Amino acid sequence: MYMLSCAAGYKYPGAEAPYVLDIIPLAAGLAVTSSDQSLCLFDPTRLGLGPAKIIRTNHGHLTSAKAYNASESIISTAGENGSISVWDFRLDPSKAEALRIQGNGATSLLSLACSSQISTLAVGTELDNHQASVLLWDIRSPSAPKLQYNEVHSDDVTELNFHPGDPNLLLSGSTDGLVNVCDTRITDEDEVIIQAFNHGSVHRAGFLNSTEVFAISHDEKFSLYDMAEGVEQGSATLDVGDLRQVLGCQYVASISPKLNGAGAVIGAGSQDQEMFQLIHLSKGPTGAWNLDKETAVGLPGAHGSELVRSFCVFDEQHVVFTAGEDGYIKAWRPT
């Protein structure tokens, strides 16, 4: 295993430091969310100096954050009071909220996806009054959702992601066990699902490339699925099972697909060993997917005995950033 060392870090202040939740790369720096409901911008080259900008969100409890347009440093957040905000980090924090939408009443929003290509925000709700919904807004006319699906899932909608090449396709995952791919150009809810995979209660799911989808359940079962024609629909093309057993870890923080569609990086941790690993998922010469445990990258010490909540990798700069429940954001580099 190739080891990195902690080169810099910043701990959020307070007797009980908040959990640091998401790290989202933007042109202006690293956008970071935390359990104290703040949205901060860090200069990745001067991490130890703390946030360059601090925004206080107003979601009751911030549950999800995604880049809306990373090159323009615009980000969206959503939360438990049913609200969605769009923030522009090019502006002063007091003026940064460019848009605020009240979602599906006061129903808590659990998941979020953004597509600047079609000026659309999508949110997924928790189950409320026997209904879990996926709602889409055109931010150019945000007075009401342009689409609302109330029957694609029967439990909390925990994951949303737009297709990397066709933003009309939206992937959703739920604790009902389903990973669905919907064509949002179809208005009839009975016809909108073009692919469905029964995976188990979905923790993370997304597109690896134009046709292949990954999913990991809340009990860490990991599989790949393929939407391509000629592939048996609904069946996993790779069924790894419990990643904790396969990787010798205690939890999986998240899975980060590579932008070129060539694979993904799996972030897995062990609190007992105070270790976090990055394991590459890649295709071999035959087209079969492999977990390349031999080239795993280790972050010894990680975030102590606390969970790592998110990570991002910058290959060209040879740096990895992690966020944890110990209140730290850290930068890791080769020794």
Side-chain angles (χ1 to χ4, degrees), residues 129-262:
N129 197 23
H130 309 290
Q131 181 175 292
S133 302
V134 176
L135 302 96
L136 291 89
W137 273 269
D138 186 323
I139 67 168
R140 297 166 296 188
S141 54
S143 58
K146 66 175 183 177
L147 289 168
Q148 181 167 344
Y149 303 128
N150 298 325
E151 298 178 0
V152 296
H153 289 293
S154 60
D155 210 337
D156 296 349
V157 181
T158 53
E159 183 72 285
L160 289 172
N161 280 294
F162 284 103
H163 188 278
D166 184 353
N168 294 298
L169 300 182
L170 178 67
L171 176 148
S172 60
S174 167
T175 52
D176 66 6
L178 293 176
V179 176
N180 294 328
V181 180
C182 294
D183 187 337
T184 61
R185 291 166 293 198
I186 299 171
T187 56
D188 186 344
E189 188 162 358
D190 292 333
E191 304 292 333
V192 71
I193 299 173
I194 60 173
Q195 293 283 343
F197 308 108
N198 193 351
H199 179 74
S201 181
V202 177
H203 178 214
R204 302 282 187 185
F207 293 100
L208 284 175
N209 49 48
S210 60
T211 67
E212 292 177 283
V213 168
F214 73 87
I216 184 166
S217 65
H218 284 101
D219 57 359
E220 315 291 27
K221 291 184 172 64
F222 179 71
S223 295
L224 302 183
Y225 303 90
D226 199 334
M227 304 189 302
E229 293 183 11
V231 177
E232 183 180 353
Q233 299 304 308
S235 298
T237 54
L238 176 67
D239 185 354
V240 174
D242 189 336
L243 274 176
R244 292 170 296 187
Q245 297 177 8
V246 175
L247 300 177
C249 64
Q250 291 176 286
Y251 69 96
V252 177
S254 62
I255 297 170
S256 178
K258 294 190 174 181
L259 296 178
N260 61 5

Side-chain angles (χ1 to χ4, degrees), residues 1-5 275-278 295-301 332:
M1 184 185 300
Y2 182 68
M3 298 293 185
L4 301 182
S5 298
M275 171 65 77
F276 193 71
Q277 298 181 52
L278 304 175
T295 62
V297 176
L299 311 181
W332 304 80

